[in-house]
Amino acid sequence: MKKFTWTCPSNIALIKYWGKKPHQIPCNASLSMTLSKASTELSLELHSKDSKSSEIECDYYFEGKKNEKFEHRVREFLQTQQVHFPFLKDFALHFQSKNSFPHSTGIASSASAFGAIALALCDAKNQLSGVEKNSNFMQEASNIARQGSGSACRSLFPSYALWGKVEDVTNSSDEYAIPITDVHLNFQNMCDAILIVDSAPKKVSSSLGHSLMNNHPYAAQRFVQANQRVSEMISVLRNGDYERYIQLTESEALTLHAMMLTSHDYYLLMRPQTLEIIEKIFKFRQETKIPVCFTLDAGPNIHLLYANSYQEKVEEFLNSELKNHIQEIKWDKIGLGPQNKK
Ligand code: DP6
């Protein structure tokens, strides 16, 4: 039996991926911050197969229990990967994973899971064929992770990652993410306090949400805007401009939700507490001039972003103003990317 264990973090998009073409190609570029604590630890065991069938044999255990729904998604994904990983049909694959955060709360859990699955598969492929890990390893894993869940491809890099072709970044690609380097000190130590206002599973899956961008009346303009914003955000991350970072980040969160509100089958993921908290963040920022801002994923929970030098002030704010609006706070921060557990 061979075993491959990886921990892969989640990520929070500053510029959002929303809308995709066939084969998980994004309609626009996106840019994210890799998290540190929210992560999936996954091991892939390769067992010898009882039968010589050419069917993929796999099972998926999440936190010690068989998870039929995710197993089905992973099996479908593996079926698309047989050319890249010819060993898939030679073994019985046993996946076991655990998350450091609640499943499906808008804290991109499929991103960290597919990031870890892709890493384990690429690692297995290399080891079975006696190939050393090289500098392309993360790029290859990012490409594979994307095919499982789009946003997963950004989780494989430390700090900040860009996914999607943008004109002014020569090595950018729709097929994999790349790291953003040379980030200004202002953005090197960012924190993300994830304010859980509702931990119930997502009401509308991201897949359905993406599909509503087909035939969306504002889609074309939105995709142009997102690509421009990605380019601008890269400059902002390098020049340290908090003010523009805040404008872009918050407008992205609201634009993402505006797309949901204005799609043909419109839906609403924000909760009353989400709006109350946003208003309190605006007021706090105005009064204190502390550069904190929010972003949202496809859910009601708030990601509060700020440099770690403001940790104490932010804690005071949360304790005094927001305690009654929040079920739980997950304290996270910018992270270093995946880890291989031997
Ligand atoms: C709102 O990556 O979950 O979090 O590719 O269908 O798996 P699939 O979608 P997914 O979409 C994430 C959307 C988002 C924005 C983002 O992370 O960029």
Side-chain angles (χ1 to χ4, degrees):
M1 191 269 282
K2 296 181 173 58
K3 188 170 175 176
F4 307 89
T5 303
W6 285 83
T7 299
C8 185
S10 186
N11 68 79
I12 177 69
L14 302 176
I15 310 297
K16 310 291 183 183
Y17 149 57
W18 200 240
K20 60 177 162 181
K21 302 176 209 168
H23 308 294
Q24 212 88 303
I25 295 298
C27 293
N28 62 261
S30 57
L31 192 151
S32 59
M33 180 173 92
T34 301
L35 296 178
S36 162
K37 295 194 184 142
S39 63
T40 297
E41 183 182 319
L42 174 129
S43 34
L44 163 62
E45 291 174 10
L46 303 180
H47 296 265
S48 54
K49 233 175 163 179
D50 297 336
S51 72
K52 282 272 160 267
S53 85
S54 57
E55 290 286 297
I56 289 186
E57 250 181 54
C58 88
D59 57 20
Y60 197 103
Y61 281 71
F62 178 66
E63 285 167 4
K65 276 202 231 121
K66 195 170 164 68
N67 185 325
E68 305 267 356
K69 199 170 160 205
F70 203 64
E71 181 177 296
H72 179 74
R73 184 165 169 190
V74 170
R75 188 175 296 112
E76 287 204 324
F77 160 73
L78 294 174
Q79 265 150 8
T80 67
Q81 298 300 319
Q82 297 192 69
V83 175
H84 199 84
F85 300 110
F87 69 86
L88 289 178
K89 56 181 186 322
D90 300 337
F91 296 94
L93 291 88
H94 178 60
F95 292 93
Q96 270 174 292
S97 79
K98 53 180 189 226
N99 281 356
S100 60
F101 48 88
H103 198 52
S104 235
T105 50
I107 310 172
S109 47
S110 63
S112 52
F114 273 103
I117 291 169
L119 286 159
L121 290 172
C122 291
D123 192 9
K125 181 184 163 194
N126 281 356
Q127 289 201 33
L128 291 169
S129 50
V131 173
E132 286 283 309
K133 244 186 245 132
N134 63 22
S135 57
N136 278 337
F137 180 78
M138 284 299 169
Q139 184 172 307
E140 181 192 357
S142 175
N143 194 336
I144 302 298
R146 167 188 58 86
Q147 297 169 58
S149 175
S151 56
C153 74
R154 298 183 311 233
S155 273
L156 305 208
F157 302 97
S159 305
Y160 296 93
L162 157 68
W163 169 37
K165 184 74 197 151
V166 279
E167 295 278 296
D168 45 352
V169 184
T170 41
N171 54 342
S172 60
S173 169
D174 283 346
E175 294 185 350
Y176 49 82
I178 56 170
I180 295 296
T181 52
D182 304 320
V183 168
H184 192 280
L185 199 58
N186 280 359
F187 297 117
Q188 284 178 22
N189 295 300
M190 294 299 284
C191 299
D192 178 3
I194 309 170
L195 314 180
I196 310 291
V197 301
D198 187 352
S199 57
K202 282 185 196 172
K203 279 190 289 185
V204 179
S205 72
S206 288
S207 293
L208 181 59
H210 286 290
S211 73
L212 293 172
M213 287 305 279
N214 305 329
N215 307 320
H216 191 294
Y218 307 136
Q221 186 52 39
R222 162 62 195 157
F223 300 146
V224 171
Q225 176 193 54
N227 286 335
Q228 286 168 347
R229 285 180 163 182
V230 162
S231 296
E232 193 183 352
M233 187 57 110
I234 294 170
S235 308
V236 165
L237 290 176
R238 289 182 174 150
N239 68 25
D241 182 348
Y242 278 134
E243 201 177 321
R244 194 62 190 138
Y245 171 89
I246 289 171
Q247 281 167 351
L248 286 171
T249 302
E250 291 189 342
S251 175
E252 270 299 298
L254 297 176
T255 304
L256 169 71
H257 284 256
M259 290 298 112
M260 300 169 191
L261 297 173
T262 50
S263 58
H264 178 267
D265 294 324
Y266 49 84
Y267 62 109
L268 181 62
L269 295 183
M270 288 192 260
R271 308 282 307 138
Q273 303 93 296
T274 313
L275 295 177
E276 284 169 32
I277 294 171
I278 289 175
E279 292 198 323
K280 284 190 185 280
I281 294 169
F282 288 160
K283 187 159 173 273
F284 175 71
R285 191 167 66 228
Q286 206 170 28
E287 287 172 0
T288 62
K289 307 288 177 237
I290 293 176
V292 294
C293 69
F294 71 87
T295 188
L296 303 163
D297 256 339
N301 301 318
I302 301 246
H303 289 249
L304 191 66
L305 303 171
Y306 54 93
N308 74 345
S309 49
Y310 299 109
Q311 178 67 31
E312 221 171 284
K313 296 265 180 253
V314 168
E315 271 184 50
E316 269 169 37
F317 163 59
L318 292 177
N319 282 333
S320 65
E321 294 283 334
L322 296 184
K323 245 191 171 153
N324 300 334
H325 300 71
I326 301 170
Q327 284 180 2
E328 196 187 348
I329 303 176
K330 303 249 166 228
W331 299 99
D332 214 327
K333 60 180 182 192
I334 193 164
L336 298 173
Q339 256 192 319
N340 186 196
K341 297 227 167 146
K342 292 285 172 209

